Structure formats: structure tokens, C-alpha cells
Amino acid sequence: MEGFNQTKVTEFVFLGLTDNWILEILFLAIFSATYVLTVFGNLLIVVTIVFTPRLHTPMYFFLSNLSFIDICHSSVTVPKMLEGFLLERKTVSFDACIAQLFFLHLFACAEIFLLTIMAYDRYVAICTPLHYTTVMNMKVCVQLVFALWLGGTIHSLVQTFLTTRLPYCGPNIIDSYFCDVPSVIKLACTDTYFTGALIVSNSGTISLVSFLALVTSYTVILVSLRKQSAEGRRKALSTCTAHFIVVVFLFGPCIFIYTRPDTSFSVDKVVAVFYTVITPLLNPLIYTLRNEEVKSSMKQLRQRQVFFTKAFT
């Protein structure tokens, strides 16, 4: 607890993405639209899956959870970033910074675990289809989702503890637009080598090991597709390709950022935009525009809405 007693910083100052006001206005417009599309698109997926009985399958159950996580993940950082574009001095209190750090890692880790589970779900469905309903029943799916939230919470608590145990007595300027462990611990007025090593063994290892597990599972799936029919291969490839695009855009930046906590590059903020702003938008774009079953379900929901609106007006 000695680190808490030495902490004198009460707020942090963000440098943001740029100090050019013209670019700030441009970014405000672009990222505001991106955030609205992210929330609306992912919420539409959740509603569609919840109110369409034929989509009550493990794959779509996990997809609805992914959409929910993406809404939360984006909402942790983007609103504060948009606020910063309107302010000359971008500040955040120490407690709010730590809270943002906690929820950022909670939702990011939960998404990593969920994508791994979704890859396992596709492996079982494609490689052992006769055992799919037995292996991936709804009870197992609920248990897996509970486990990923538990794992994400434990990971986030560890990251938060590693950060708050350090003393902060100045400076208080964060060269970013949100609070994250690597950028915050650099401001600690003590040696952070050991803490940095723990971060690599935590966030870096989770990201790298999960990514390797995903690549392995998709490789096994691709090999097994040789035994499938042409239509089966087409559907499997379409689903796995969509999953893998999301995986690359999420895991690439995470591995780049969290496997080298003691080093920073000018491109870090650009990379961070991908996994805090762009990746949560990919889910509705990829899974909605590429999935005929989801699109047809959305049309049916829309038709039902129009019918009930006319019936009661």
C-alpha cells in the first residue's frame, strides 16, 4: 500500500490524437459516425438474434454476446475521445482513469476469450458435426460465457492492481486519448521494469496464446474441409473468413501493444484506434452484410414492426 500513500497526481492530461484543430473537427465527425454505427449495428444484431427463434443456436448466441461486448468495449474509450476533440485541455481524474483502464481490459479480454470459444464452436460444427448438438448444448454455451467473463474480470483486476500499486507524483501527461496500463505506468515515479514484465506475462501472453490457438483451430478446419461438399466448403469458408478478419484486427494491435510495455512508438495511437474504434464496428459490418440468415431475419423483424405499427394506428 506504500504506492498509494506516495501518489500525488489527482488527474491526468491527454495529448489526444492530434493538436491540429482542423484534424480534430474531421476526426470528431468520422469517429462520431463510427461510434453511432457501432452501437446501432451491434444492438440490431442482439435484438435480431434475441427475437428470432431460429437463430437460437450456439453460433448466434456467441455472436450476440460478441455484439454486446463490442458496444461496451467501444463505449469505454470513444465517448471520452470525442469529448477531447471539443476541449482544449483534455483531462481525466485519477479514479476515472483507473476505472477506464479496468473496463477496457475487462471487455477486451472477454472478447479475446469469446473469439477463441467461437473458433472452437466452428471446429466442433465442421469437424465433428454428428456430435455438435451434444458437445455444444445451451448449458455448455452458458458455462463458457460465464467462464469468459470470470476470466476477463480476473485479468482486469490483476492489471488494475499492477497499475494502482505504483506511486504517481508527476508528470501527469498521457500521450494518448485514453488510459491504458502501458501509457499510465510510464508516469510512475519508480522503476516499472518488474511491473512491465508482469504485464507481458499477463496481457501479452493471453493475446499471443489465444491467437495461436485460433490460428491452429482454423488451420485444422481448413484441412478438414477437403472432406466436405462444395456447398459445405463454401458456407464454412464464409463463416471462418468472417471470424478470422475480426481476429486479425483485434489480436494484431493487442499483440503489438502488450508484448512490449517498456517501448513506445509514434504509431501506437494509430494502432490503438483499430482495436478501440474500428474493430467493434467490424462485427455488424462483417456478420450482417455477409450473413444471409441474419439479413433475412432482420427483414422479417422489420416487416413485423411495420405490421404492428399499422395495426395499432
Side-chain angles (χ1 to χ4, degrees), residues 98-225:
I98 297 302
Q100 185 181 57
L101 182 152
F102 172 84
F103 287 108
L104 173 70
H105 279 266
L106 170 62
F107 296 126
C109 188
E111 184 162 0
I112 286 174
F113 289 150
L114 180 56
L115 288 172
T116 307
I117 292 171
M118 291 175 70
Y120 174 71
D121 171 71
R122 291 301 85 203
Y123 164 77
V124 176
I126 295 171
C127 298
T128 59
L130 297 179
H131 301 285
Y132 181 72
T133 55
T134 303
V135 176
M136 298 300 295
N137 57 68
M138 190 52 63
K139 181 180 178 180
V140 172
C141 293
V142 172
Q143 290 174 340
L144 288 172
V145 169
F146 175 79
L148 75 85
W149 281 110
L150 179 62
T153 301
I154 293 173
H155 161 77
S156 192
L157 287 172
V158 171
Q159 295 296 90
T160 305
F161 172 74
L162 292 174
T163 305
T164 54
R165 66 183 291 272
L166 299 173
Y168 298 91
C169 46
N172 66 336
I173 298 177
I174 298 177
D175 188 13
S176 183
Y177 58 91
F178 67 100
C179 291
D180 198 4
V181 176
S183 58
V184 172
I185 66 170
K186 286 193 296 186
L187 303 179
C189 46
T190 187
D191 181 30
T192 60
Y193 177 81
F194 180 69
T195 303
L198 290 176
I199 292 171
V200 171
S201 64
N202 193 321
S203 295
T205 302
I206 288 175
S207 300
L208 189 57
V209 171
S210 297
F211 179 72
L212 292 176
L214 283 162
V215 171
T216 301
S217 66
Y218 285 126
T219 301
V220 173
I221 290 173
L222 290 175
V223 172
S224 69
L225 288 180

Side-chain angles (χ1 to χ4, degrees), residues 74-89:
S74 180
S75 298
V76 170
T77 57
V78 178
K80 189 64 179 178
M81 178 180 67
L82 297 178
E83 178 190 69
F85 290 137
L86 301 173
L87 301 175
E88 184 176 352
R89 191 169 185 268

Side-chain angles (χ1 to χ4, degrees), residues 45 51 59 91 99 147 162 164 182 253 257 276 302:
I45 290 177
F51 289 98
M59 185 179 79
T91 63
L162 292 174
T164 54
I257 294 291
T276 59
R302 179 60 180 172

